[in-house]
């Protein structure tokens, strides 16, 4: 009888451990793609607006390189007519994962493993959760974001503190 109780406790412990591991790692995301296709941000036109709206202006660009996961695509930071900043990922192609974010950072973009863990060490701003691991998408940066402080963008896995891919920003 005592042996059955021990086996029941061990079995329950294994079930809890497997469930926790599945929740933490979310391995099924490696086979599930989320594609998001958003249009370029454009100025809003109101009926009372007499002059034609200004076009959004590109203020920084970059190309993503791979880190922990194979990653490619372009990054643009666009200043809208109202002065707000939008970070745009274009033709993004990376792996899906748990708790992925888009970070604007002051960290240098280093190739290989040297660049995997640096993007949350210094100054950084989260543009939000990654909307999809494929496609083109827009992220409005927080008001008051000073682009002079930041030199890179990372697709950042907050759960494991690792960069999936990153881009060095070049001011335009």
């Amino acid at each position: 009888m005592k042996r059955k109780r021990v086996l029941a406790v061990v079995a329950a412990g294994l079930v809890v451990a497997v469930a926790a591991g599945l929740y933490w790692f979310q391995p099924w995301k490696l086979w599930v793609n989320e594609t998001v296709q958003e249009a370029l941000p454009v100025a809003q036109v109101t009926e009372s607006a007499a002059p034609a709206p200004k076009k959004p202006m590109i203020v920084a660009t970059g190309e993503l390189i791979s880190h922990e996961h194979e990653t490619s695509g372009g990054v643009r930071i666009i200043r809208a007519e109202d002065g707000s900043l939008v970070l745009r990922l274009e033709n993004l192609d990376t792996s899906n994962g748990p708790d992925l974010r888009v970070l604007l950072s002051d960290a240098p973009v280093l190739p290989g493993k040297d660049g995997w863990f640096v993007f949350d060490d210094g100054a950084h701003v989260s543009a939000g959760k990654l909307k999809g691991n494929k496609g083109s998408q827009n992220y409005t940066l927080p008001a008051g974001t000073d682009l002079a402080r930041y030199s890179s963008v990372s697709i950042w896995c907050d759960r494991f503190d690792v960069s999936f891919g990153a881009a060095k920003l070049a001011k335009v």
Side-chain angles (χ1 to χ4, degrees):
M1 192 58 96
K2 187 173 185 178
R3 181 180 167 116
K4 285 184 180 182
R5 271 191 259 158
V6 169
L7 287 175
V9 169
V10 168
L14 284 173
V15 167
V16 169
V18 167
L22 287 172
Y23 172 77
W24 188 253
F25 289 98
Q26 298 178 1
W28 58 87
K29 287 197 170 191
L30 291 173
W31 296 280
V32 176
N33 290 316
E34 295 177 34
T35 301
V36 173
Q37 292 293 351
E38 294 180 328
L40 273 167
V42 294
Q44 298 296 319
V45 179
T46 62
E47 290 180 23
S48 64
K54 298 175 189 173
K55 286 186 174 180
M57 184 174 71
I58 298 170
V59 295
T61 63
E63 289 296 318
L64 291 162
I65 67 166
S66 299
H67 279 150
E68 170 71 18
H69 292 266
E70 199 65 35
T71 301
S72 63
V75 176
R76 286 201 259 180
I77 297 182
I78 301 163
R79 185 172 305 280
E81 177 189 27
D82 63 3
S84 65
L85 294 170
V86 175
L87 189 154
R88 179 164 171 82
L89 300 175
E90 294 187 322
N91 303 313
L92 174 66
D93 188 1
T94 191
S95 296
N96 206 341
D99 208 13
L100 294 179
R101 311 241 176 223
V102 180
L103 291 188
L104 187 61
S105 174
D106 67 350
V109 176
L110 304 171
K113 269 193 152 177
D114 292 339
W116 287 16
F117 306 105
V118 299
F119 294 97
D120 68 342
D121 291 344
H124 62 278
V125 170
S126 176
K129 288 189 173 204
L130 187 69
K131 296 174 184 177
N133 63 306
K134 296 189 180 301
S136 297
Q137 45 212 269
N138 304 315
Y139 298 85
T140 302
L141 294 174
T145 299
D146 179 8
L147 288 183
R149 293 186 65 195
Y150 306 104
S151 59
S152 60
V153 171
S154 173
I155 307 302
W156 183 256
C157 180
D158 214 28
R159 170 97 24 105
F160 295 105
D161 290 328
V162 67
S163 174
F164 276 32
K168 179 180 178 182
L169 292 174
K171 307 296 191 263
V172 175

